[in-house]
Amino acid sequence: MCPEPRENDSTRFDRLPATAEERVVEGRPTREEVLDWWDDRFGVPPATFENHTFWEHGAGKIWAFAGDVASPVAIEGLGLTFLRTRREHWKPTLEAVQRFGGAAEDCVIHVSREEAATFVAGDDQELDWDGDWGYLIVTTDIAGEPEPVGVGLYVHGELRSQVPKGRRRDL
Amino acid sequence: MDVLERYEPLIDDFDAFLAACERPLPSVVRVNTLKTTVERARAAMDEADIAYEPCEWHDGLFALPEDQPGTNWPYVLGWLHGQEEVSAVPAEVLDPQPGERVWDACAAPGSKTTQLAALMDDTGLLVATDNNLGRISALRSNAERGGVTNVAVTHEDARNHSLKPFRGPDSEEGREGAPYDRALVDVPCSCEGTIRKNPDALEDWNLDHVDGISGVQKGVLRRAVQTTREGGTVVYSTCTFAPEENEAVLDYALAEEDCELVEFDLPLDHALGITEWDGETYDESVRRAKRIYPHHNDTGGFFCAKLEVTA
Protein backbone atom coordinates (compact mmCIF):
# COMPACT_ATOMS: atom_id res chain seq x y z
CA MET A 1 0.00 0.00 0.00
CA CYS A 2 1.16 3.51 -0.77
CA PRO A 3 1.05 5.80 2.23
CA GLU A 4 -1.87 8.22 2.06
CA PRO A 5 -0.50 11.68 1.20
CA ARG A 6 -1.42 14.42 3.65
CA GLU A 7 -1.94 17.01 0.93
CA ASN A 8 -4.33 16.98 -1.97
CA ASP A 9 -2.90 15.43 -5.17
CA SER A 10 -4.61 16.93 -8.22
CA THR A 11 -3.62 14.14 -10.63
CA ARG A 12 -6.10 11.71 -9.14
CA PHE A 13 -9.53 11.38 -7.56
CA ASP A 14 -9.70 10.77 -3.79
CA ARG A 15 -12.94 9.71 -2.11
CA LEU A 16 -14.04 12.17 0.58
CA PRO A 17 -13.77 10.84 4.13
CA ALA A 18 -17.15 10.06 5.67
CA THR A 19 -16.60 12.29 8.71
CA ALA A 20 -14.01 14.61 10.26
CA GLU A 21 -12.69 11.72 12.41
CA GLU A 22 -11.63 9.89 9.24
CA ARG A 23 -10.02 12.90 7.60
CA VAL A 24 -6.33 12.50 6.70
CA VAL A 25 -5.76 15.20 4.08
CA GLU A 26 -5.81 18.67 5.55
CA GLY A 27 -8.69 20.87 4.46
CA ARG A 28 -10.49 18.11 2.57
CA PRO A 29 -14.25 18.38 3.11
CA THR A 30 -16.09 15.34 4.41
CA ARG A 31 -19.10 13.58 2.93
CA GLU A 32 -21.06 14.62 6.00
CA GLU A 33 -20.16 18.29 5.48
CA VAL A 34 -21.17 18.12 1.82
CA LEU A 35 -24.54 16.56 2.61
CA ASP A 36 -25.14 19.08 5.42
CA TRP A 37 -24.25 21.96 3.14
CA TRP A 38 -26.78 21.02 0.44
CA ASP A 39 -29.38 20.50 3.14
CA ASP A 40 -28.63 23.75 5.05
CA ARG A 41 -28.19 26.00 2.05
CA PHE A 42 -30.77 24.67 -0.42
CA GLY A 43 -32.92 22.23 1.57
CA VAL A 44 -31.84 19.36 -0.67
CA PRO A 45 -32.32 16.25 1.52
CA PRO A 46 -29.21 14.07 2.08
CA ALA A 47 -31.14 11.07 0.74
CA THR A 48 -30.93 12.70 -2.72
CA PHE A 49 -27.28 11.63 -2.82
CA GLU A 50 -27.49 8.25 -1.08
CA ASN A 51 -26.34 6.43 -4.23
CA HIS A 52 -23.48 8.83 -4.98
CA THR A 53 -19.91 8.94 -3.71
CA PHE A 54 -17.98 12.23 -3.55
CA TRP A 55 -14.41 12.72 -4.76
CA GLU A 56 -11.86 15.53 -4.66
CA HIS A 57 -9.86 16.18 -7.85
CA GLY A 58 -7.92 19.41 -7.91
CA ALA A 59 -7.92 21.40 -4.68
CA GLY A 60 -11.49 21.84 -3.52
CA LYS A 61 -13.18 20.55 -6.66
CA ILE A 62 -15.69 17.90 -5.69
CA TRP A 63 -17.18 15.39 -8.12
CA ALA A 64 -20.28 13.21 -7.63
CA PHE A 65 -20.07 9.63 -8.90
CA ALA A 66 -22.97 7.15 -9.10
CA GLY A 67 -21.02 4.22 -7.78
CA ASP A 68 -17.84 3.38 -5.97
CA VAL A 69 -14.33 2.23 -6.86
CA ALA A 70 -11.13 1.93 -4.84
CA SER A 71 -9.65 5.30 -3.84
CA PRO A 72 -7.50 6.91 -5.15
CA VAL A 73 -8.06 6.54 -8.87
CA ALA A 74 -5.97 8.32 -11.51
CA ILE A 75 -8.25 8.83 -14.52
CA GLU A 76 -9.66 11.78 -16.50
CA GLY A 77 -13.13 11.99 -15.05
CA LEU A 78 -15.30 10.36 -12.37
CA GLY A 79 -18.95 11.33 -12.53
CA LEU A 80 -20.09 14.95 -12.59
CA THR A 81 -18.36 18.14 -11.41
CA PHE A 82 -20.44 19.02 -8.39
CA LEU A 83 -19.18 21.56 -5.89
CA ARG A 84 -16.33 24.00 -5.28
CA THR A 85 -15.05 23.87 -1.68
CA ARG A 86 -11.95 24.97 0.29
CA ARG A 87 -13.13 28.60 0.27
CA GLU A 88 -15.36 30.67 2.54
CA HIS A 89 -18.47 30.26 0.39
CA TRP A 90 -18.93 26.91 -1.30
CA LYS A 91 -20.31 27.07 -4.83
CA PRO A 92 -22.32 24.38 -6.61
CA THR A 93 -21.70 23.80 -10.32
CA LEU A 94 -24.28 24.56 -12.99
CA GLU A 95 -24.26 20.84 -13.81
CA ALA A 96 -25.04 19.84 -10.21
CA VAL A 97 -27.83 22.40 -10.01
CA GLN A 98 -29.41 21.31 -13.30
CA ARG A 99 -29.24 17.67 -12.23
CA PHE A 100 -30.13 17.87 -8.52
CA GLY A 101 -31.47 21.41 -8.00
CA GLY A 102 -35.06 20.37 -8.66
CA ALA A 103 -35.10 19.06 -5.07
CA ALA A 104 -34.08 22.46 -3.62
CA GLU A 105 -36.48 24.43 -1.40
CA ASP A 106 -34.32 27.29 -0.12
CA CYS A 107 -32.19 29.93 -1.82
CA VAL A 108 -34.02 29.33 -5.10
CA ILE A 109 -34.76 32.47 -7.11
CA HIS A 110 -37.52 32.00 -9.66
CA VAL A 111 -37.23 34.42 -12.58
CA SER A 112 -39.16 35.23 -15.74
CA ARG A 113 -38.13 33.75 -19.05
CA GLU A 114 -36.63 37.08 -20.11
CA GLU A 115 -34.61 37.39 -16.90
CA ALA A 116 -33.49 33.78 -17.31
CA ALA A 117 -32.29 34.58 -20.86
CA THR A 118 -30.22 37.48 -19.49
CA PHE A 119 -28.77 35.09 -16.91
CA VAL A 120 -27.94 32.39 -19.51
CA ALA A 121 -26.23 35.01 -21.68
CA GLY A 122 -23.86 35.58 -18.75
CA ASP A 123 -25.15 39.07 -17.93
CA ASP A 124 -25.75 40.53 -14.45
CA GLN A 125 -29.09 42.18 -13.59
CA GLU A 126 -30.84 44.04 -10.78
CA LEU A 127 -33.55 41.90 -9.20
CA ASP A 128 -35.54 41.93 -5.94
CA TRP A 129 -34.77 39.10 -3.55
CA ASP A 130 -35.73 38.88 0.15
CA GLY A 131 -33.63 35.88 1.09
CA ASP A 132 -29.96 35.24 1.90
CA TRP A 133 -27.24 36.75 -0.20
CA GLY A 134 -24.73 34.45 -1.84
CA TYR A 135 -25.07 31.61 -4.30
CA LEU A 136 -28.65 30.93 -5.42
CA ILE A 137 -30.26 28.36 -7.69
CA VAL A 138 -31.91 30.17 -10.59
CA THR A 139 -35.12 28.60 -11.94
CA THR A 140 -37.52 29.55 -14.70
CA ASP A 141 -40.69 27.96 -16.11
CA ILE A 142 -40.05 25.62 -19.02
CA ALA A 143 -43.01 23.76 -20.52
CA GLY A 144 -45.14 24.86 -17.58
CA GLU A 145 -42.89 23.82 -14.68
CA PRO A 146 -39.97 25.47 -12.85
CA GLU A 147 -36.63 24.08 -14.00
CA PRO A 148 -33.19 24.80 -12.48
CA VAL A 149 -31.04 26.64 -15.02
CA GLY A 150 -27.84 27.46 -13.15
CA VAL A 151 -26.12 29.30 -10.29
CA GLY A 152 -26.28 33.03 -9.63
CA LEU A 153 -24.46 35.13 -7.03
CA TYR A 154 -26.87 37.55 -5.33
CA VAL A 155 -25.29 40.63 -3.71
CA HIS A 156 -26.30 44.31 -3.38
CA GLY A 157 -29.61 43.95 -5.23
CA GLU A 158 -27.96 42.28 -8.19
CA LEU A 159 -28.04 38.74 -9.57
CA ARG A 160 -24.63 38.01 -11.03
CA SER A 161 -24.64 35.22 -13.58
CA GLN A 162 -22.18 32.43 -12.80
CA VAL A 163 -22.89 30.53 -16.03
CA PRO A 164 -19.50 29.31 -17.31
CA LYS A 165 -18.42 30.80 -20.63
CA GLY A 166 -18.85 27.53 -22.51
CA ARG A 167 -22.46 27.19 -21.39
CA ARG A 168 -23.60 30.75 -22.15
CA ARG A 169 -26.14 31.24 -24.95
CA ASP A 170 -27.93 34.21 -26.50
CA LEU A 171 -31.51 32.98 -26.48
CA MET B 1 -17.99 9.47 -55.06
CA ASP B 2 -15.67 7.27 -57.15
CA VAL B 3 -14.65 5.42 -54.01
CA LEU B 4 -18.20 4.20 -53.58
CA GLU B 5 -18.18 2.45 -56.98
CA ARG B 6 -16.36 -0.45 -55.38
CA TYR B 7 -19.56 -1.30 -53.49
CA GLU B 8 -21.76 -1.67 -56.58
CA PRO B 9 -21.65 -5.49 -56.42
CA LEU B 10 -22.95 -5.38 -52.80
CA ILE B 11 -25.87 -3.02 -53.18
CA ASP B 12 -29.21 -3.93 -54.78
CA ASP B 13 -30.32 -0.49 -55.91
CA PHE B 14 -26.99 1.20 -56.50
CA ASP B 15 -28.45 4.28 -58.22
CA ALA B 16 -30.71 4.96 -55.24
CA PHE B 17 -27.69 4.48 -52.98
CA LEU B 18 -25.61 7.03 -54.89
CA ALA B 19 -28.51 9.49 -55.06
CA ALA B 20 -29.03 9.25 -51.29
CA CYS B 21 -25.31 9.83 -50.66
CA GLU B 22 -25.59 13.14 -52.49
CA ARG B 23 -28.50 14.45 -50.43
CA PRO B 24 -27.79 16.42 -47.25
CA LEU B 25 -28.90 14.87 -43.98
CA PRO B 26 -31.50 16.42 -41.64
CA SER B 27 -30.41 17.29 -38.08
CA VAL B 28 -31.63 14.83 -35.48
CA VAL B 29 -31.77 15.22 -31.70
CA ARG B 30 -32.11 12.61 -28.97
CA VAL B 31 -34.01 13.40 -25.77
CA ASN B 32 -31.80 13.02 -22.69
CA THR B 33 -34.04 11.06 -20.33
CA LEU B 34 -31.62 11.62 -17.43
CA LYS B 35 -32.84 15.21 -17.27
CA THR B 36 -36.39 15.15 -18.60
CA THR B 37 -39.07 13.01 -20.22
CA VAL B 38 -39.82 12.72 -23.94
CA GLU B 39 -43.19 14.35 -23.23
CA ARG B 40 -41.64 17.40 -21.54
CA ALA B 41 -38.95 17.71 -24.18
CA ARG B 42 -41.66 17.80 -26.85
CA ALA B 43 -43.56 20.43 -24.86
CA ALA B 44 -40.37 22.52 -24.57
CA MET B 45 -39.76 22.26 -28.32
CA ASP B 46 -43.38 23.27 -28.99
CA GLU B 47 -42.95 26.22 -26.64
CA ALA B 48 -39.74 27.26 -28.45
CA ASP B 49 -41.41 26.91 -31.89
CA ILE B 50 -38.96 24.22 -32.96
CA ALA B 51 -40.40 22.09 -35.75
CA TYR B 52 -39.71 18.36 -35.20
CA GLU B 53 -40.69 15.02 -36.64
CA PRO B 54 -40.46 11.79 -34.62
CA CYS B 55 -38.18 9.04 -35.96
CA GLU B 56 -40.48 6.03 -36.11
CA TRP B 57 -38.19 3.38 -34.67
CA HIS B 58 -37.11 5.29 -31.52
CA ASP B 59 -39.48 7.39 -29.42
CA GLY B 60 -36.74 9.73 -28.16
CA LEU B 61 -35.34 10.74 -31.57
CA PHE B 62 -36.63 13.72 -33.53
CA ALA B 63 -35.62 15.09 -36.92
CA LEU B 64 -35.45 18.89 -37.06
CA PRO B 65 -36.39 19.71 -40.68
CA GLU B 66 -35.58 23.39 -40.23
CA ASP B 67 -32.12 22.58 -38.93
CA GLN B 68 -32.30 24.38 -35.61
CA PRO B 69 -28.97 25.17 -33.95
CA GLY B 70 -28.32 24.44 -30.28
CA THR B 71 -29.48 27.84 -29.08
CA ASN B 72 -32.81 27.11 -27.44
CA TRP B 73 -34.10 26.36 -23.93
CA PRO B 74 -34.34 22.56 -24.10
CA TYR B 75 -30.76 22.44 -25.38
CA VAL B 76 -29.45 24.80 -22.66
CA LEU B 77 -31.01 22.54 -20.03
CA GLY B 78 -29.30 19.48 -21.50
CA TRP B 79 -32.61 17.92 -22.56
CA LEU B 80 -31.59 17.48 -26.21
CA HIS B 81 -28.45 16.05 -27.72
CA GLY B 82 -27.65 16.39 -31.43
CA GLN B 83 -26.98 12.90 -32.75
CA GLU B 84 -27.22 11.36 -36.19
CA GLU B 85 -30.17 8.95 -36.42
CA VAL B 86 -28.17 5.79 -37.22
CA SER B 87 -25.60 6.62 -34.57
CA ALA B 88 -28.33 5.89 -32.02
CA VAL B 89 -28.47 2.26 -33.22
CA PRO B 90 -25.51 0.57 -31.47
CA ALA B 91 -26.38 1.66 -27.90
CA GLU B 92 -29.91 0.30 -28.41
CA VAL B 93 -28.50 -2.98 -29.73
CA LEU B 94 -26.11 -3.21 -26.76
CA ASP B 95 -29.13 -2.66 -24.48
CA PRO B 96 -27.24 -1.98 -21.21
CA GLN B 97 -29.24 -2.45 -18.02
CA PRO B 98 -29.26 -0.32 -14.85
CA GLY B 99 -26.52 -1.32 -12.42
CA GLU B 100 -24.32 -3.09 -14.98
CA ARG B 101 -20.63 -2.54 -15.77
CA VAL B 102 -20.27 -1.23 -19.31
CA TRP B 103 -17.29 -0.15 -21.42
CA ASP B 104 -17.53 2.41 -24.21
CA ALA B 105 -14.18 1.69 -25.89
CA CYS B 106 -13.92 4.64 -28.33
CA ALA B 107 -16.17 7.07 -26.54
CA ALA B 108 -15.44 10.64 -27.65
CA PRO B 109 -17.21 12.90 -28.37
CA GLY B 110 -19.78 11.16 -26.23
CA SER B 111 -23.11 10.94 -28.09
CA LYS B 112 -23.29 7.22 -27.54
CA THR B 113 -21.81 7.51 -24.04
CA THR B 114 -24.61 9.78 -22.87
CA GLN B 115 -27.14 7.51 -24.56
CA LEU B 116 -25.69 4.47 -22.74
CA ALA B 117 -25.83 6.36 -19.42
CA ALA B 118 -29.50 7.15 -19.99
CA LEU B 119 -30.27 3.51 -20.85
CA MET B 120 -28.54 2.54 -17.56
CA ASP B 121 -30.62 5.10 -15.62
CA ASP B 122 -27.26 6.64 -14.65
CA THR B 123 -26.46 3.70 -12.34
CA GLY B 124 -23.75 1.04 -12.35
CA LEU B 125 -20.40 1.86 -13.97
CA LEU B 126 -19.90 3.24 -17.47
CA VAL B 127 -16.21 3.44 -18.41
CA ALA B 128 -15.64 5.78 -21.36
CA THR B 129 -12.23 5.53 -23.03
CA ASP B 130 -10.56 7.61 -25.72
CA ASN B 131 -6.95 8.05 -26.83
CA ASN B 132 -7.20 11.74 -27.74
CA LEU B 133 -7.21 14.38 -24.99
CA GLY B 134 -8.87 17.03 -27.17
CA ARG B 135 -11.71 14.68 -27.95
CA ILE B 136 -11.93 13.66 -24.29
CA SER B 137 -12.58 17.31 -23.51
CA ALA B 138 -15.61 17.19 -25.84
CA LEU B 139 -16.71 13.92 -24.25
CA ARG B 140 -16.47 15.39 -20.76
CA SER B 141 -18.39 18.46 -21.81
CA ASN B 142 -21.21 16.40 -23.36
CA ALA B 143 -21.41 14.13 -20.32
CA GLU B 144 -21.59 17.17 -18.03
CA ARG B 145 -24.31 18.84 -20.10
CA GLY B 146 -26.18 15.55 -20.02
CA GLY B 147 -25.94 15.40 -16.22
CA VAL B 148 -24.26 11.97 -16.33
CA THR B 149 -22.85 10.76 -12.99
CA ASN B 150 -22.10 7.07 -13.67
CA VAL B 151 -19.28 7.68 -16.15
CA ALA B 152 -15.55 7.19 -15.52
CA VAL B 153 -13.37 8.66 -18.28
CA THR B 154 -9.98 7.14 -19.16
CA HIS B 155 -7.28 8.37 -21.55
CA GLU B 156 -5.58 5.34 -23.07
CA ASP B 157 -5.28 3.21 -26.17
CA ALA B 158 -8.36 0.98 -26.02
CA ARG B 159 -6.28 -1.94 -27.31
CA ASN B 160 -4.43 -1.92 -23.97
CA HIS B 161 -7.38 -0.98 -21.76
CA SER B 162 -6.74 -1.63 -18.06
CA LEU B 163 -9.37 -2.79 -15.58
CA LYS B 164 -7.12 -1.88 -12.66
CA PRO B 165 -8.63 1.57 -11.94
CA PHE B 166 -12.04 -0.04 -11.44
CA ARG B 167 -11.36 -2.53 -8.68
CA GLY B 168 -13.82 -2.62 -5.79
CA PRO B 169 -13.53 -0.10 -2.92
CA ASP B 170 -12.06 -2.58 -0.43
CA SER B 171 -10.03 -4.74 -2.80
CA GLU B 172 -6.26 -5.11 -2.71
CA GLU B 173 -4.14 -2.70 -4.67
CA GLY B 174 -3.03 -4.08 -8.04
CA ARG B 175 -6.14 -6.22 -8.47
CA GLU B 176 -8.27 -5.76 -11.56
CA GLY B 177 -11.85 -4.59 -11.54
CA ALA B 178 -14.55 -7.11 -12.44
CA PRO B 179 -15.05 -7.75 -16.17
CA TYR B 180 -17.75 -5.86 -18.03
CA ASP B 181 -21.27 -7.06 -18.64
CA ARG B 182 -21.31 -5.26 -21.97
CA ALA B 183 -18.97 -3.33 -24.24
CA LEU B 184 -19.58 -0.96 -27.13
CA VAL B 185 -16.88 -0.98 -29.79
CA ASP B 186 -17.82 1.92 -32.04
CA VAL B 187 -14.40 2.24 -33.65
CA PRO B 188 -12.67 5.00 -35.58
CA CYS B 189 -13.20 4.18 -39.26
CA SER B 190 -12.91 5.57 -42.78
CA CYS B 191 -16.33 7.20 -42.24
CA GLU B 192 -17.66 6.58 -45.73
CA GLY B 193 -21.18 6.48 -44.33
CA THR B 194 -20.96 10.09 -43.15
CA ILE B 195 -20.70 11.40 -46.73
CA ARG B 196 -24.11 13.10 -46.45
CA LYS B 197 -22.97 15.08 -43.43
CA ASN B 198 -19.35 15.64 -44.50
CA PRO B 199 -19.11 15.88 -48.30
CA ASP B 200 -15.31 15.78 -47.92
CA ALA B 201 -15.40 12.43 -46.10
CA LEU B 202 -13.97 10.51 -49.07
CA GLU B 203 -11.36 13.01 -50.19
CA ASP B 204 -8.45 11.36 -48.41
CA TRP B 205 -9.73 7.83 -48.85
CA ASN B 206 -7.15 5.20 -49.77
CA LEU B 207 -6.90 1.48 -49.29
CA ASP B 208 -3.73 1.72 -47.20
CA HIS B 209 -5.61 3.84 -44.69
CA VAL B 210 -8.48 1.35 -44.64
CA ASP B 211 -6.04 -1.52 -44.05
CA GLY B 212 -4.20 0.41 -41.34
CA ILE B 213 -7.30 1.38 -39.45
CA SER B 214 -8.69 -2.15 -39.65
CA GLY B 215 -5.64 -3.26 -37.63
CA VAL B 216 -6.66 -0.87 -34.86
CA GLN B 217 -10.28 -2.00 -35.09
CA LYS B 218 -9.25 -5.64 -34.67
CA GLY B 219 -7.16 -4.77 -31.60
CA VAL B 220 -9.96 -2.83 -29.91
CA LEU B 221 -12.57 -5.52 -30.58
CA ARG B 222 -10.23 -8.20 -29.19
CA ARG B 223 -9.66 -6.20 -26.01
CA ALA B 224 -13.42 -5.70 -25.59
CA VAL B 225 -14.05 -9.44 -25.83
CA GLN B 226 -11.22 -10.12 -23.35
CA THR B 227 -12.55 -7.66 -20.79
CA THR B 228 -16.20 -8.78 -21.02
CA ARG B 229 -17.51 -11.66 -18.88
CA GLU B 230 -18.66 -14.98 -20.27
CA GLY B 231 -22.22 -14.55 -21.52
CA GLY B 232 -21.71 -10.79 -21.83
CA THR B 233 -22.44 -8.76 -24.94
CA VAL B 234 -20.13 -6.82 -27.25
CA VAL B 235 -21.50 -4.60 -30.02
CA TYR B 236 -19.21 -3.69 -32.91
CA SER B 237 -20.14 -0.76 -35.14
CA THR B 238 -18.71 1.58 -37.76
CA CYS B 239 -20.03 4.31 -40.02
CA THR B 240 -18.37 2.85 -43.09
CA PHE B 241 -19.24 0.42 -45.89
CA ALA B 242 -15.75 -1.10 -46.31
CA PRO B 243 -15.86 -4.86 -45.62
CA GLU B 244 -12.19 -4.64 -44.60
CA GLU B 245 -13.35 -2.59 -41.57
CA ASN B 246 -16.53 -4.56 -40.93
CA GLU B 247 -16.95 -8.26 -41.71
CA ALA B 248 -13.17 -8.80 -41.93
CA VAL B 249 -12.74 -7.45 -38.40
CA LEU B 250 -15.51 -9.72 -37.09
CA ASP B 251 -14.00 -12.71 -38.91
CA TYR B 252 -10.68 -12.01 -37.20
CA ALA B 253 -12.25 -11.72 -33.72
CA LEU B 254 -14.20 -14.96 -34.22
CA ALA B 255 -10.93 -16.75 -35.03
CA GLU B 256 -8.83 -15.21 -32.24
CA GLU B 257 -11.19 -14.79 -29.26
CA ASP B 258 -13.96 -16.72 -27.50
CA CYS B 259 -17.03 -15.10 -28.99
CA GLU B 260 -19.80 -15.66 -31.49
CA LEU B 261 -22.11 -13.47 -33.54
CA VAL B 262 -25.74 -13.45 -32.43
CA GLU B 263 -28.95 -12.46 -34.16
CA PHE B 264 -30.69 -9.23 -33.18
CA ASP B 265 -33.70 -7.23 -34.23
CA LEU B 266 -33.25 -3.87 -35.89
CA PRO B 267 -36.39 -1.89 -36.67
CA LEU B 268 -34.73 -0.13 -39.64
CA ASP B 269 -34.37 -1.37 -43.22
CA HIS B 270 -30.99 -2.99 -43.72
CA ALA B 271 -28.96 -5.58 -45.63
CA LEU B 272 -27.11 -8.54 -44.11
CA GLY B 273 -23.38 -8.88 -43.55
CA ILE B 274 -21.45 -10.28 -46.52
CA THR B 275 -19.26 -13.39 -46.59
CA GLU B 276 -17.13 -12.70 -49.67
CA TRP B 277 -15.14 -9.65 -50.67
CA ASP B 278 -12.14 -9.00 -52.87
CA GLY B 279 -11.11 -12.66 -53.00
CA GLU B 280 -11.53 -13.19 -49.24
CA THR B 281 -14.22 -15.29 -47.59
CA TYR B 282 -15.50 -14.73 -44.08
CA ASP B 283 -17.16 -16.93 -41.47
CA GLU B 284 -20.78 -17.62 -42.47
CA SER B 285 -22.04 -16.15 -39.19
CA VAL B 286 -20.99 -12.62 -40.16
CA ARG B 287 -24.26 -12.57 -42.12
CA ARG B 288 -25.82 -11.84 -38.71
CA ALA B 289 -24.29 -8.36 -38.86
CA LYS B 290 -26.37 -5.59 -40.40
CA ARG B 291 -25.51 -3.05 -43.08
CA ILE B 292 -27.57 0.13 -43.19
CA TYR B 293 -27.26 1.99 -46.50
CA PRO B 294 -28.28 5.66 -46.81
CA HIS B 295 -31.15 4.93 -49.24
CA HIS B 296 -32.72 2.36 -46.91
CA ASN B 297 -34.06 4.80 -44.31
CA ASP B 298 -32.81 8.18 -45.58
CA THR B 299 -30.01 8.23 -42.97
CA GLY B 300 -26.23 8.03 -42.92
CA GLY B 301 -24.57 4.68 -43.59
CA PHE B 302 -23.84 2.28 -40.74
CA PHE B 303 -22.65 -1.21 -39.83
CA CYS B 304 -23.56 -3.03 -36.62
CA ALA B 305 -22.90 -6.50 -35.20
CA LYS B 306 -23.76 -8.11 -31.86
CA LEU B 307 -21.45 -10.67 -30.27
CA GLU B 308 -21.74 -12.88 -27.23
CA VAL B 309 -18.65 -13.73 -25.22
CA THR B 310 -18.45 -17.53 -24.84
CA ALA B 311 -15.66 -18.07 -22.27
Side-chain angles (χ1 to χ4, degrees), chain B:
Chain B
M1 292 287 175
D2 292 350
V3 171
L4 300 177
E5 299 288 342
R6 71 198 292 257
Y7 304 124
E8 187 165 2
L10 303 182
I11 298 172
D12 284 343
D13 190 348
F14 194 65
D15 290 339
F17 167 79
L18 284 182
C21 287
E22 303 223 3
R23 286 197 299 273
L25 206 55
S27 298
V28 172
V29 291
R30 177 175 48 79
V31 174
N32 174 21
T33 51
L34 292 186
K35 279 189 155 178
T36 191
T37 60
V38 171
E39 193 177 71
R40 285 190 51 68
R42 291 181 74 134
M45 287 194 285
D46 288 337
E47 195 175 74
D49 282 330
I50 300 169
Y52 59 88
E53 291 166 4
C55 298
E56 277 175 27
W57 66 279
H58 187 300
D59 70 358
L61 284 180
F62 297 93
L64 307 183
E66 289 164 26
D67 194 19
Q68 292 280 341
T71 300
N72 54 61
W73 277 107
Y75 182 83
V76 162
L77 295 179
W79 290 8
L80 300 179
H81 183 85
Q83 182 172 8
E84 226 252 275
E85 184 174 348
V86 277
S87 122
V89 165
E92 298 292 333
V93 174
L94 189 68
D95 193 25
Q97 301 298 306
E100 287 187 333
R101 296 171 78 91
V102 176
W103 184 33
D104 188 355
C106 309
S111 293
K112 300 178 190 79
T113 314
T114 51
Q115 185 184 5
L116 292 170
L119 289 167
M120 297 165 76
D121 285 344
D122 199 26
T123 61
L125 173 67
L126 173 57
V127 176
T129 295
D130 208 271
N131 65 354
N132 179 310
L133 273 181
R135 284 166 57 82
I136 281 179
S137 168
L139 161 66
R140 285 267 327 281
S141 160
N142 279 320
E144 294 267 297
R145 213 175 58 78
V148 176
T149 68
N150 72 340
V151 70
V153 180
T154 72
H155 175 220
E156 60 190 328
D157 185 329
R159 291 173 288 184
N160 306 319
H161 176 56
S162 171
L163 288 169
K164 283 186 179 166
F166 307 110
R167 63 192 174 94
D170 300 317
S171 61
E172 276 174 49
E173 201 160 348
R175 289 197 62 136
E176 292 203 327
Y180 297 111
D181 298 296
R182 298 172 204 257
L184 175 59
V185 183
D186 181 63
V187 282
C189 68
S190 58
C191 296
E192 295 162 359
T194 67
I195 182 77
R196 299 182 64 183
K197 201 168 60 180
N198 312 310
D200 303 336
L202 302 178
E203 255 174 29
D204 297 328
W205 191 98
N206 68 67
L207 198 54
D208 285 346
H209 176 240
V210 167
D211 288 339
I213 206 165
S214 88
V216 175
Q217 293 159 344
K218 287 170 182 169
V220 179
L221 180 55
R222 279 192 79 162
R223 189 64 188 140
V225 173
Q226 290 164 0
T227 54
T228 298
R229 68 170 168 81
E230 182 179 351
T233 301
V234 175
V235 166
Y236 179 80
S237 62
T238 73
C239 54
T240 204
F241 310 117
E244 295 90 340
E245 301 178 59
N246 293 325
E247 287 89 348
V249 175
L250 297 175
D251 185 68
Y252 172 85
L254 290 171
E256 299 293 327
E257 297 293 337
D258 295 313
C259 61
E260 61 188 27
L261 278 154
V262 293
E263 301 278 0
F264 62 100
D265 293 325
L266 180 65
L268 282 169
D269 286 347
H270 59 270
L272 302 179
I274 60 162
T275 55
E276 286 182 43
W277 176 251
D278 202 21
E280 303 277 325
T281 58
Y282 307 129
D283 189 286
E284 277 296 313
S285 70
V286 302
R287 290 174 57 79
R288 292 174 179 165
K290 302 196 192 296
R291 296 180 149 260
I292 302 175
Y293 293 119
H295 61 296
H296 280 150
N297 312 279
D298 197 21
T299 62
F302 212 72
F303 179 88
C304 190
K306 185 174 188 177
L307 300 95
E308 184 177 316
V309 177
T310 53

Side-chain angles (χ1 to χ4, degrees), chain A residues 23-35:
Chain A
R23 173 161 37 213
V24 175
V25 176
E26 193 181 335
R28 178 165 289 163
T30 66
R31 176 179 179 84
E32 189 175 37
E33 287 165 356
V34 168
L35 293 176

Side-chain angles (χ1 to χ4, degrees), chain A residues 22-83:
Chain A
E22 294 177 27
R23 173 161 37 213
V24 175
V25 176
E26 193 181 335
R28 178 165 289 163
T30 66
R31 176 179 179 84
E32 189 175 37
E33 287 165 356
V34 168
L35 293 176
D36 286 349
W37 183 83
W38 280 92
D39 195 4
D40 293 346
R41 177 76 192 167
F42 296 118
V44 175
T48 308
F49 306 110
E50 66 187 359
N51 296 319
H52 287 86
T53 51
F54 300 129
W55 301 73
E56 184 173 28
H57 175 66
K61 292 180 185 165
I62 308 303
W63 296 50
F65 174 52
D68 205 358
V69 293
S71 175
V73 55
I75 55 177
E76 299 299 317
L78 191 65
L80 191 78
T81 58
F82 184 64
L83 179 66

Side-chain angles (χ1 to χ4, degrees), chain A residues 78-153:
Chain A
L78 191 65
L80 191 78
T81 58
F82 184 64
L83 179 66
R84 187 71 196 259
T85 63
R86 294 195 191 243
R87 44 164 73 181
E88 186 181 353
H89 298 290
W90 289 8
K91 179 182 177 181
T93 63
L94 174 144
E95 285 76 18
V97 158
Q98 283 196 353
R99 179 68 205 276
F100 300 108
E105 293 184 343
D106 306 322
C107 291
V108 176
I109 184 167
H110 190 70
V111 302
S112 71
R113 189 67 76 83
E114 256 179 39
E115 290 159 348
T118 301
F119 170 77
V120 168
D123 296 331
D124 304 339
Q125 56 193 314
E126 290 188 2
L127 283 175
D128 290 332
W129 167 249
D130 292 334
D132 287 352
W133 286 16
Y135 293 118
L136 306 182
I137 293 174
V138 178
T139 63
T140 194
D141 284 336
I142 303 288
E145 286 177 36
E147 291 289 344
V149 178
V151 179
L153 175 63

